[in-house]
Amino acid sequence: MSRLALLFLLSMSAPAHAAFLHLCPAQSAPGGVPSAKARGADGKELRFVVTGAAALPGCRSLALGAAQVETLHVLGADAAPTPTILLQGEARDGGFAVSEQTLVPDGDGQPSKPAPMPLRTNLLDRMQVRTYGVEERVQARLDQGRLRIDCRAGSRPAGVLLTGPWTIPRLRAQLVARHSGKGQFTWQAADAAGAARESALDMGQLSAKGGAGSTRLALPAALDRGNWRHFVLACPAAGGSLALDSLVLEPDAPGAAPRSTWIWDRSAWLERGEDLLDWAARERIGELFIVVPLEQGRIKDPELLSAFVRRAGQRDIGISAVEGDPHMVLPGERAATAARARAYAAYNAAAEPAARLKSIQFDIEPYLLPEHVLPAARLDAEYVATLAALRAAAGDMPLEFVVPFWWGERHALLDGLARHADAVSVMDYRTDPEQILAFAIPFLDWGAASGKRVRIALEAGPLPFEIQRRYRRAPDNGAGDMLLFTVEGQRIAVLLRQPLAHPRALPYQLVDSRPIDGSATSFHKNKDALRALLPRLEADFGAWPGFAGIALHEWR
């Protein structure tokens, strides 16, 4: 066989566009190719790259086959693969730049967590009724949000139990029952411990005298609201009938809480302070978070700051300093970050009361750091350590922290905040009122339980247009639009332009893509809707002890 024919046969058998995945030390990784940063177990920075070379010096290499790689994305060493993975990002330079990931597990057979009991809604629409009593003298029917009870006379306890798929939030509220009928019925509430003892706490009486009436029932102070199990409606011994037309959890009248906003342009208060205060007064803003320049560990222009704070105070507008950078969470940045807090504390200690800042707010957002800079497994501990350092540095000066709504179940972080923070601002960046309330309640309840102030923040600024891709786990050894590899403990997603199977990868198929235009997150395109919604939200949130008002981001 001629040499030319041999070369032809070899070219026919070799894979076209063969690609190789390499994990390299960051300093030796080639540029200009698909890449993603990672961090090794020893803390050294690494980089995944894809090239056509089978091996690179100092790198661990893996053959991908005839892969057309679009993007690499590191999920993180501790990110367990889930049946569904959502990747959100921008189409950029012919690829897909991932900005956010969500690992979505399937149902694991565990019961879902109960939702908070809704406000100003007829609870009977979603409740279930069950009669009790050994004399079997009760008949009850719950239909289309209306409850009908008929009780015969008897000497033994009897009545109905009303259950629902909720917990009861820690707000100041009462149950309001609209009813008619005949007889005096006792209303009680039971939590998990009470239900286990077959006991309940008294809430009051429903006295039905034929005509329609309304009764307000106070929630017992001893009730464990997070473990509420049922309401008890006990029949009178003499018998009676009751028509319960609605049952509503009605918040008490809210206390006053000022609106607030962030002013990121420092020249707005340094050079145009009166215009800023005029605008804040027109917008009913009671607190401004401003950027205060520091120099050599001190406030750069303390006289200008004190003059502005005094003028604002004369118009009942409080001023707080805002600081923020994700790197503040890192151990190497902690001392410098604490020094900034000491600078504000020193300013307040030297200033007369009318010139003092209300607080220091830290908007750190450590989850924005890539996995190779701060592994997810270390985030909680490093964040709480930063909280402790700031608390020690700030002394008696109030400290507030900006947190995302999805931290509502991050108990280690919430415990750290309870120990070190005076207040939190929750980035509840949604536009649907029901979602806003649902995401706010865990923090409002936390604030009521821990004695902390809670501010609920809404977004009014522009957001980038992004795409969300939904990937679903494919059968083992099947072809995937995304291949998930584990290399030296690192989980790396390889996004492909064409599906490919690989024996060492978990394959995922691209199920759908949808645009994320920000309309579900920001009121930027409809600020009038936000203006109309604010009084309603303030009326709801104001029933919680510790509610500190609504903060508006990019309002000016």
Side-chain angles (χ1 to χ4, degrees):
M1 180 182 295
S2 69
R3 184 171 180 272
L4 181 62
L6 178 60
L7 289 174
F8 175 78
L9 289 176
L10 289 173
S11 68
M12 292 292 292
S13 60
H17 308 293
F20 297 84
L21 176 68
H22 312 277
L23 180 59
C24 305
Q27 66 273 15
S28 62
V33 295
S35 67
K37 294 179 180 179
R39 188 172 293 277
D42 57 0
K44 293 183 179 179
E45 186 174 326
L46 306 173
R47 189 181 295 271
F48 282 100
V49 296
V50 172
T51 72
L56 293 176
C59 304
R60 178 171 179 178
S61 303
L62 175 69
L64 297 178
Q68 298 183 34
V69 177
E70 178 187 26
T71 300
L72 299 179
H73 174 65
V74 176
L75 268 67
D78 300 292
T82 56
T84 299
I85 296 178
L86 304 180
L87 297 181
Q88 186 168 316
E90 296 181 76
R92 185 188 305 164
D93 300 328
F96 185 67
V98 179
S99 62
E100 182 179 327
Q101 70 179 38
T102 304
L103 307 181
V104 184
D106 273 356
D108 56 4
Q110 299 296 319
S112 59
K113 183 178 179 180
M117 186 175 285
L119 310 180
R120 300 189 178 91
T121 299
N122 183 10
L123 302 175
L124 297 175
D125 285 334
R126 295 186 61 195
M127 299 190 89
Q128 296 82 43
V129 62
R130 178 167 62 89
T131 62
Y132 71 91
V134 297
E135 296 174 318
E136 298 184 354
R137 60 188 179 95
V138 184
Q139 290 185 334
R141 182 168 62 91
L142 180 57
D143 184 42
Q144 296 184 347
R146 306 177 79 181
L147 175 65
R148 298 295 180 265
I149 305 173
D150 291 297
C151 302
R152 301 194 310 273
S155 60
R156 305 291 295 276
V160 299
L161 304 180
L162 285 169
T163 61
W166 310 297
T167 59
I168 300 179
R170 293 178 178 268
L171 77 169
R172 297 175 293 248
Q174 297 180 339
L175 283 178
V176 179
R178 291 180 57 247
H179 55 84
S180 59
K182 184 178 180 179
Q184 184 164 296
F185 292 74
T186 300
W187 194 284
Q188 299 175 312
D191 52 29
R197 297 191 303 266
E198 297 187 354
S199 65
L201 301 167
D202 286 337
M203 293 179 61
Q205 306 287 325
L206 294 189
S207 297
K209 300 178 180 178
S214 178
T215 301
R216 302 183 74 85
L217 302 160
L219 293 164
L223 180 68
D224 180 359
R225 297 189 185 192
N227 289 297
W228 170 78
R229 288 298 179 264
H230 54 247
F231 294 124
V232 183
L233 197 49
C235 294
S241 62
L242 183 71
L244 190 60
D245 293 323
S246 67
L247 181 66
V248 175
L249 184 64
E250 190 71 34
D252 289 352
R259 296 173 187 172
S260 56
T261 193
W262 289 268
I263 304 298
W264 297 106
D265 180 4
R266 66 187 66 184
S267 68
W269 70 269
L270 280 168
E271 301 171 14
R272 302 179 299 279
E274 288 304 317
D275 288 345
L276 175 59
L277 295 176
D278 288 343
W279 170 83
R282 289 194 304 271
E283 293 290 337
R284 296 175 50 207
I285 298 295
E287 186 168 354
L288 297 173
F289 303 108
I290 65 170
V291 177
V292 179
L294 300 180
E295 187 175 69
Q296 296 181 350
R298 299 182 179 87
I299 302 294
K300 183 178 180 181
D301 296 298
E303 298 83 6
L304 293 177
L305 178 61
S306 61
F308 178 71
V309 173
R310 282 194 296 268
R311 293 199 308 273
Q314 291 166 1
R315 305 178 72 163
D316 295 325
I317 299 171
I319 303 298
S320 290
V322 61
E323 289 275 341
D325 187 290
H327 294 85
M328 286 179 169
V329 76
L330 299 176
E333 299 293 329
R334 198 163 291 143
T337 302
R340 301 183 75 84
R342 277 193 294 273
Y344 294 114
Y347 165 84
N348 260 25
E352 61 177 327
R356 291 173 185 164
L357 295 164
K358 286 192 67 174
S359 67
I360 320 169
Q361 185 190 76
F362 281 89
D363 181 9
I364 298 177
E365 303 185 47
Y367 45 84
L368 296 179
L369 293 173
E371 178 75 15
H372 74 278
V373 174
L374 179 64
R378 288 174 43 203
L379 188 150
D380 289 11
E382 298 293 0
Y383 186 75
V384 172
T386 299
L387 297 179
L390 290 172
R391 177 76 280 164
D396 295 333
M397 191 169 182
L399 274 179
E400 181 169 341
F401 294 90
V402 179
V403 300
F405 70 81
W406 63 84
W407 277 8
E409 300 300 323
R410 300 286 288 273
H411 299 296
L413 295 178
L414 294 178
D415 289 346
L417 286 162
R419 291 194 301 273
H420 304 301
D422 298 288
V424 298
S425 283
V426 182
M427 293 182 288
D428 195 350
Y429 290 171
R430 289 295 182 269
T431 56
D432 178 79
E434 291 186 5
Q435 283 192 336
I436 293 171
L437 180 61
F439 294 150
I441 285 177
F443 288 94
L444 293 167
D445 279 354
W446 169 84
S450 62
K452 306 299 180 180
R453 297 188 310 122
V454 175
R455 207 184 306 266
I456 303 301
L458 303 175
E459 177 63 72
L463 295 176
F465 179 87
E466 292 191 326
I467 300 293
Q468 184 187 80
R469 294 182 178 182
R470 178 182 297 270
Y471 290 89
R472 186 74 181 170
R473 177 71 187 274
D476 289 343
N477 300 318
D481 302 288
M482 178 176 77
L483 299 178
L484 187 59
F485 293 92
T486 300
V487 181
E488 294 189 1
Q490 302 283 339
R491 290 195 171 90
I492 176 73
V494 179
L495 280 62
L496 303 171
R497 300 186 187 281
Q498 292 183 349
L500 186 73
H502 195 287
R504 292 185 54 183
L506 298 179
Y508 284 76
Q509 294 175 342
L510 178 61
V511 177
D512 60 59
S513 298
R514 67 184 185 96
I516 306 293
D517 63 0
S519 60
T521 305
S522 173
F523 288 91
H524 177 65
K525 296 180 180 179
N526 196 354
K527 289 188 176 181
D528 288 341
L530 178 53
R531 292 183 190 277
L533 180 61
L534 284 174
R536 170 184 162 188
L537 294 177
E538 289 164 334
D540 286 345
F541 298 153
W544 269 268
F547 172 60
I550 290 179
L552 302 170
H553 189 248
E554 296 286 353
W555 190 235
R556 190 169 192 251

